[in-house]
Amino acid sequence: MIQINIHEAKTNLSKIIDQACRGEEVVIAKAGTPVVRLTPIAPRPSRRQFGALSGKARIDQRFFEPLPEDELRAWE
């Protein structure tokens, strides 16, 4: 665990962020008292890929048939 004071954190912010991203625990203290723990944010999941379900879903001919009247009224 690395504990540094606020002034040192402001001076060396980029270096401290790199250390936290490498998995080191970084604690920032105010007058010797720990107040903040710096931790990296988990990476975002990848974006959706167009066509990812290609070939996995099927639409039969019933999809293109008109809906019954009672079901159409339910959508209004």
Side-chain angles (χ1 to χ4, degrees), residues 6 9-11 22 28 56-58 60-61 65 69 71 75-76:
I6 292 175
K10 290 193 301 187
T11 305
R22 285 193 304 268
I28 301 174
K56 296 179 182 177
R58 297 199 183 272
D60 64 12
Q61 195 57 36
E65 294 174 3
E69 286 297 321
E71 226 174 298
W75 284 96
E76 292 177 352

Side-chain angles (χ1 to χ4, degrees), residues 12-75:
N12 299 306
L13 184 60
S14 294
K15 187 189 316 181
I16 294 165
I17 289 173
D18 289 339
Q19 290 173 320
C21 288
R22 285 193 304 268
E24 295 182 49
E25 184 175 347
V26 178
V27 175
I28 301 174
K30 183 175 186 178
T33 304
V35 291
V36 176
R37 179 180 297 124
L38 188 62
T39 58
I41 297 175
R44 288 182 152 178
S46 62
R47 292 180 161 236
R48 288 187 246 166
Q49 182 180 0
F50 183 75
L53 293 177
S54 180
K56 296 179 182 177
R58 297 199 183 272
I59 299 174
D60 64 12
Q61 195 57 36
R62 291 179 298 172
F63 178 81
F64 299 102
E65 294 174 3
L67 291 174
E69 286 297 321
D70 58 328
E71 226 174 298
L72 282 174
R73 281 192 298 275
W75 284 96

